[in-house]
Amino acid sequence: MSEEAISIEKLQQLITRGPFNRWLNFTVLKSDADGIEVKATWREEWVVNPERRYTHGGILAAIVDTVADYAIAAQLGRPVPTIDVRVDFRKAAMAGDLTAKARVVRMGSQYSTAEAYLYDKDGALVASGRGTYFTAPPK
């Protein structure tokens, strides 16, 4: 395991390898020893209620899970499978880009924990969560 996070460019390549993550429009803003920061560019397809125009909770949960995972990936150099994730929804995320900040809570040889915080375009916390990830070396 690396003491330092991988570069923003390398993390951007890793996080956008998968089609779903590309669809979520992730842009890595920061990657250092304290964690990562990622922007998810808002999409009209995220709307769950056309009258109120707020973002579906599944999208918020996916962003929380992904960014927590990639906080670990920034240290390991590879993404890892999710074992468990919990997401707390704080308020409706209205139309607009979202910013997620994540950090590793515990890096273990088999299992690791990371947490993420998701903010709306005005900087208000809309969701947060914590996940457990399988970090054992691949066979």
Side-chain angles (χ1 to χ4, degrees):
M1 281 179 267
S2 170
E3 293 286 325
E4 296 297 317
I6 61 176
S7 71
I8 289 173
E9 295 77 18
K10 175 70 173 163
L11 190 57
Q12 184 68 49
Q13 289 174 351
L14 284 175
I15 203 168
T16 55
R17 277 190 340 192
F20 183 68
N21 288 354
R22 279 196 306 275
W23 183 79
L24 287 172
N25 286 330
F26 287 130
T27 302
V28 178
L29 304 174
K30 175 188 146 195
S31 176
D32 63 24
D34 294 327
I36 67 170
E37 185 173 334
V38 176
K39 179 178 81 169
T41 304
W42 190 82
R43 301 178 67 103
E44 186 68 30
E45 297 94 340
W46 293 0
V47 171
V48 66
N49 181 325
E51 290 80 36
R52 297 244 357 260
R53 297 187 40 77
Y54 57 85
T55 302
H56 190 284
I59 296 295
L60 303 179
I63 295 170
V64 165
D65 178 33
T66 302
V67 176
D69 182 338
Y70 280 84
I72 293 170
Q75 292 187 20
L76 288 180
R78 62 182 167 80
V80 292
T82 304
I83 294 189
D84 183 56
V85 69
R86 174 197 166 91
V87 177
D88 294 310
F89 301 101
R90 309 303 179 115
K91 65 176 276 193
M94 305 311 286
D97 296 349
L98 300 171
T99 301
K101 297 178 181 181
R103 70 178 190 90
V104 175
V105 174
R106 178 188 176 276
M107 185 67 84
S109 61
Q110 297 286 314
Y111 305 101
S112 297
T113 303
E115 59 188 18
Y117 299 87
L118 188 57
Y119 302 90
D120 67 13
K121 66 183 187 316
D122 299 319
L125 182 65
V126 295
S128 62
R130 180 178 278 218
T132 302
Y133 301 86
F134 185 64
T135 50
K139 292 183 178 188

